[in-house]
Amino acid sequence: MSRPIKIAPSILAADFAKLGKEVRDVTDAGADWIHLDVMDGHFVPNISYGPDVIKALRSSSEAVFDCHLMISPCDPYLEAFAKAGCDIITVHAEAGPHLHRSLQAVRSLGKKAGVAINPATPESLIEPVINDVDLILIMSVNPGFGGQKFIPSILEKARRINAMIGTRAIDLEVDGGITVETAPLAAAAGINALVAGSAVFRGGTIEAYRENISAIRAAAVGATG
Ligand code: DX5
Ligand code: ZN
């Protein structure tokens, strides 16, 4: 079953000195989702921003706020991210011992629940919660930083997860090192949601963003046949 291609610019690569305008511009440039990388300096070796920043950005865009929590523990903060206006809240399978409870909590907050797995994490961690998620995020870099190189070995895992999803209404997302070169590889493996930070925000103008988004989208759509 082919799911529509979604382009989700990661604002980690945006100009933090004018984040509201960047979110507005990248939305106007054609972003389907806004990918929000939340980092705590504990689960990943970097610190980004929290729910208050997301709340401040909410009025800058009507796009889906796709929140990627690279934090541990995550449960104590789920409500704050839901109230901040996130539409999808994705937790890492590696972030704690009670993944099913975290996903249940996200859905009980009325939000779409996502599970993310790192490059070294097998898809077997997802099987027990396949009916409790609306999105599966496959990391194609080790989380914490933008501008890293795509790890091609995740493509085989993506194919297996795509088969696991079957006809379920689950978006399959990839995150890290997505460019016009790697986007078709991901789409051909059954991935439909593409996170891209540096490849979208390259150029720094709304015109550049529009060109970058449509080039990545065209490359992905072209590979879905
Ligand atoms: C990394 C983040 C990614 C990253 C993507 O931990 O989860 O979303 O910002 O950045 P690029 O597209 O530059 O690899
Ligand atoms: Zn991310």
Side-chain angles (χ1 to χ4, degrees), residues 10 12-13 35 37 39 44 68 70 139 141-148 175-178 195-199:
S10 160
L12 194 69
H35 187 77
D37 285 313
M39 300 179 180
V44 291
H68 176 194
M70 289 166 274
M139 291 308 296
V141 295
N142 289 301
F145 301 93
Q148 299 181 80
D175 187 3
I178 293 298
V195 175
S198 37

Side-chain angles (χ1 to χ4, degrees), residues 138-225:
I138 301 174
M139 291 308 296
S140 41
V141 295
N142 289 301
F145 301 93
Q148 299 181 80
K149 210 166 157 343
F150 182 84
I151 300 170
S153 60
I154 64 100
L155 292 168
E156 264 322 297
K157 181 163 63 171
R159 285 189 180 87
R160 294 194 298 267
I161 294 173
N162 190 41
M164 193 196 297
I165 290 172
T167 56
R168 293 180 179 87
I170 294 176
D171 282 304
L172 186 53
E173 187 173 43
V174 67
D175 187 3
I178 293 298
T179 64
V180 287
E181 289 79 31
T182 55
L185 307 177
I191 288 165
N192 73 293
L194 303 161
V195 175
S198 37
V200 167
F201 285 99
R202 182 174 299 128
T205 65
I206 187 168
E207 293 73 25
Y209 302 164
R210 189 171 288 117
E211 257 173 60
N212 297 336
I213 289 172
S214 47
I216 293 168
R217 189 188 306 282
V221 169
T224 48

Side-chain angles (χ1 to χ4, degrees), residues 17-204:
K18 52 176 186 174
L19 216 38
K21 182 171 180 333
E22 291 277 73
V23 168
R24 181 69 264 158
D25 284 353
V26 83
T27 304
D28 293 343
D32 297 297
W33 298 354
I34 302 295
H35 187 77
L36 304 159
D37 285 313
V38 178
M39 300 179 180
D40 64 359
H42 170 241
F43 182 70
V44 291
N46 195 2
I47 296 175
S48 59
Y49 47 79
D52 288 349
V53 170
I54 294 174
K55 189 168 165 211
L57 295 171
R58 185 64 271 185
S59 57
S60 297
S61 171
E62 52 293 333
V64 167
F65 270 20
D66 169 36
C67 184
H68 176 194
L69 295 181
M70 289 166 274
I71 66 174
S72 166
C74 57
D75 290 4
Y77 306 99
L78 298 177
E79 186 173 5
F81 284 102
K83 285 190 171 148
C86 297
D87 300 292
I88 304 169
I89 299 177
T90 296
V91 300
H92 266 264
E94 309 91 346
H98 304 295
L99 172 60
H100 186 275
R101 177 188 288 145
S102 302
L103 297 167
Q104 268 185 326
V106 171
R107 280 186 162 174
S108 68
L109 289 162
K111 302 301 178 180
K112 287 195 171 185
V115 60
I117 51 172
N118 288 327
T121 303
E123 65 270 23
S124 55
L125 259 68
I126 294 177
E127 252 162 331
V129 296
I130 191 76
N131 293 314
D132 303 288
V133 296
D134 306 291
L135 176 135
I136 297 170
L137 170 52
I138 301 174
M139 291 308 296
S140 41
V141 295
N142 289 301
F145 301 93
Q148 299 181 80
K149 210 166 157 343
F150 182 84
I151 300 170
S153 60
I154 64 100
L155 292 168
E156 264 322 297
K157 181 163 63 171
R159 285 189 180 87
R160 294 194 298 267
I161 294 173
N162 190 41
M164 193 196 297
I165 290 172
T167 56
R168 293 180 179 87
I170 294 176
D171 282 304
L172 186 53
E173 187 173 43
V174 67
D175 187 3
I178 293 298
T179 64
V180 287
E181 289 79 31
T182 55
L185 307 177
I191 288 165
N192 73 293
L194 303 161
V195 175
S198 37
V200 167
F201 285 99
R202 182 174 299 128

